Amino acid sequence: MNLALTILFDGLTYAAWLFIVALGLTLVFGVLKILNIAHGSFYAVGAYAGASLVAWLVSLKVSPLLSVGALVLAAAGVAALLAPLTERGLLRMFYRRDEVLLVLVTYALFLVLEDATKLLWGVHPYYASDTYQAFGNLQLGPLNYAGYDLLLVGVAVVAGVAAWWVLNRTRQGKIVTAVIHNAEIAASMGVNVSRVYTGAFVVGVFLAALGGALTAPMISVQPGLSVGVIIVSFAVVIIGGLGSIEGAALGALVVGLARAASVHLWPAAELFSIYIVMAVILVFRPEGVFQRVQARKI
């Protein structure tokens, strides 16, 4: 019983930050129809920015509990700086081109950002563990868990509900949905499609950076961080269905629980288990559990 609970809680914790990252990835694909390989780099930049800001606040004797807000601000800063520059200055030039070319462009951007993070932050690891330790431990039945892990789960739930509510219950969400279904008709009805693309990309980058910033207190932030994240994030959106919020949530849960079960039962197959689950699901649902919405670009 204890083992099952441990797998469940570990799986939820892993799924929480992964869902935040995958939510941004699936949003960008749903609106812009771009498989953004550089998404992992935005995660890494968010992690570095968050860890650096927390370290600076700790040096000023600011309470670590307040540093959670600083992590969110760091993610917002990354999105405000990099997202418009990337979408308007680079990706917009390739919207009418072949989708494979867009993938190659984002891969090139991934390589550039990888080197840029090394130039800015060096190759030594950064730590923000003060924030993680500040939330203490909570007793969940027979198990003792870090309070920060539960906070991360709560943030993931809020992010998912907020994204669903905005897309389905607000005027701005209806406009985005119209662009997803047919950008040409939306433009003919007076929708500023370019602005929608920029806004969606900013939100996607923010979610990637937020996932990185919020996981910074749990890990050592070091070069190579983005590679593993983008691979697992793609597994999540492929399982759930590209462009689907519900699919991203389900995919993150499946990946999180599969990884947690493997870590506790068969550690050597930690990464392998994720792709076994993905392969089994794709045999029966080639488009993912939730079929993606097809988008048309102008």
Side-chain angles (χ1 to χ4, degrees):
M1 183 62 181
N2 288 353
L3 179 60
L5 288 174
T6 300
I7 291 174
L8 175 62
F9 287 128
D10 285 354
L12 286 176
T13 301
Y14 190 82
W17 70 262
L18 189 55
F19 169 67
I20 296 172
V21 178
L23 180 60
L25 184 63
T26 202
L27 177 65
V28 169
F29 178 83
V31 180
L32 285 78
K33 205 175 181 183
I34 296 175
L35 288 173
N36 184 17
I37 295 177
H39 199 72
S41 296
F42 296 130
Y43 168 93
V45 174
Y48 272 110
S52 300
L53 187 55
V54 167
W56 178 67
L57 291 176
V58 169
S59 69
L60 296 178
K61 309 300 182 181
V62 176
S63 172
L65 290 173
L66 299 178
S67 60
V68 173
L71 294 174
V72 177
L73 288 176
V78 170
L81 177 65
L82 295 182
L85 184 64
T86 301
E87 195 276 334
R88 294 181 179 179
L90 180 63
L91 298 180
R92 188 170 293 186
M93 296 186 292
F94 297 92
Y95 282 159
R96 297 177 182 271
R97 310 290 287 275
D98 188 271
E99 293 177 4
V100 176
L101 180 60
L102 270 168
V103 173
L104 294 176
V105 169
T106 62
Y107 177 65
L109 179 61
F110 165 81
L111 296 177
V112 170
L113 290 175
E114 277 290 285
D115 284 343
T117 55
K118 292 178 183 177
L119 288 173
L120 287 173
W121 284 283
V123 296
H124 299 293
Y126 282 68
Y127 300 94
S129 56
D130 296 85
T131 303
Y132 190 79
Q133 296 168 1
F135 285 84
N137 295 320
L138 295 175
Q139 194 72 27
L140 298 175
L143 303 177
N144 194 35
Y145 262 81
Y148 187 85
D149 292 345
L150 299 181
L151 173 68
L152 191 58
V153 173
V155 172
V157 172
V158 170
V161 171
W164 181 90
W165 184 79
V166 169
L167 286 176
N168 293 279
R169 294 290 185 268
T170 67
R171 180 177 179 273
Q172 290 76 14
K174 301 295 184 183
I175 291 174
V176 172
T177 302
V179 172
I180 290 174
H181 283 287
N182 196 308
E184 293 178 357
I185 293 179
S188 69
M189 297 296 290
V191 174
N192 189 332
V193 176
S194 296
R195 183 176 297 175
V196 173
Y197 286 165
T198 301
F201 194 77
V202 169
V203 174
V205 172
F206 169 71
L207 289 169
L210 181 63
L214 291 177
T215 53
M218 306 166 62
I219 60 174
S220 63
V221 182
Q222 55 191 339
L225 188 65
S226 57
V227 177
V229 170
I230 191 59
I231 292 174
V232 181
S233 296
F234 271 123
V236 168
V237 297
I238 289 171
I239 289 172
L242 287 162
S244 169
I245 294 176
E246 297 87 349
L250 179 62
L253 282 173
V254 169
V255 169
L257 292 174
R259 176 190 173 276
S262 177
V263 166
H264 291 282
L265 300 175
W266 190 14
E270 175 186 346
L271 188 60
F272 179 71
S273 62
I274 295 173
Y275 299 107
I276 284 292
V277 172
M278 182 177 71
V280 170
I281 291 176
L282 292 183
V283 166
F284 299 99
R285 299 284 295 183
E287 291 282 349
V289 177
F290 293 88
Q291 187 172 359
R292 73 185 183 188
V293 177
Q294 295 289 340
R296 294 182 61 191
K297 300 187 72 65
I298 61 174

